[in-house]
Amino acid sequence: EQALIEALQTGKLRGAALDVFTEEPLPSSSAMWDLPNVLISPHNMDQTSTFMHEATEFFLHENLPRFMVGEDLLNPVDPTLGY
């Protein structure tokens, strides 16, 4: 992970979307949390045949309308909790 952090900090890598780390949940002290070119996501995605449909429906009918009118989104990421 340290080599990845250094590559992201120096621009050798322009960005990364990550969902697995050496220690999980990712410690709050990790430099990953402070990198603007890193997207951190939990790796607990459901592996069901209906997941993509359900996720799309949730986005279209729950969070997108909330976002468009400035309301709080459902299921936000909370770095203090590690997910």
Side-chain angles (χ1 to χ4, degrees), residues 18-33:
L18 307 168
D19 69 348
V20 177
F21 301 94
T22 303
E23 183 180 345
E24 295 196 11
L26 186 63
S28 60
S29 60
S30 172
M32 293 284 188
W33 290 115

Side-chain angles (χ1 to χ4, degrees), residues 31-77:
M32 293 284 188
W33 290 115
D34 297 322
L35 295 173
N37 53 345
V38 172
L39 172 68
I40 297 173
S41 173
H43 70 274
N44 60 354
M45 299 290 288
D46 289 335
Q47 298 298 318
T48 66
S49 62
T50 60
F51 174 75
M52 288 305 295
H53 174 75
E54 293 167 357
T56 301
E57 290 293 311
F58 176 80
F59 173 75
L60 291 175
H61 300 293
E62 295 292 340
N63 271 346
L64 182 59
R66 289 169 181 269
F67 175 79
M68 292 177 73
V69 296
E71 293 179 0
D72 290 340
L73 302 180
L74 300 176
N75 302 330
V77 172

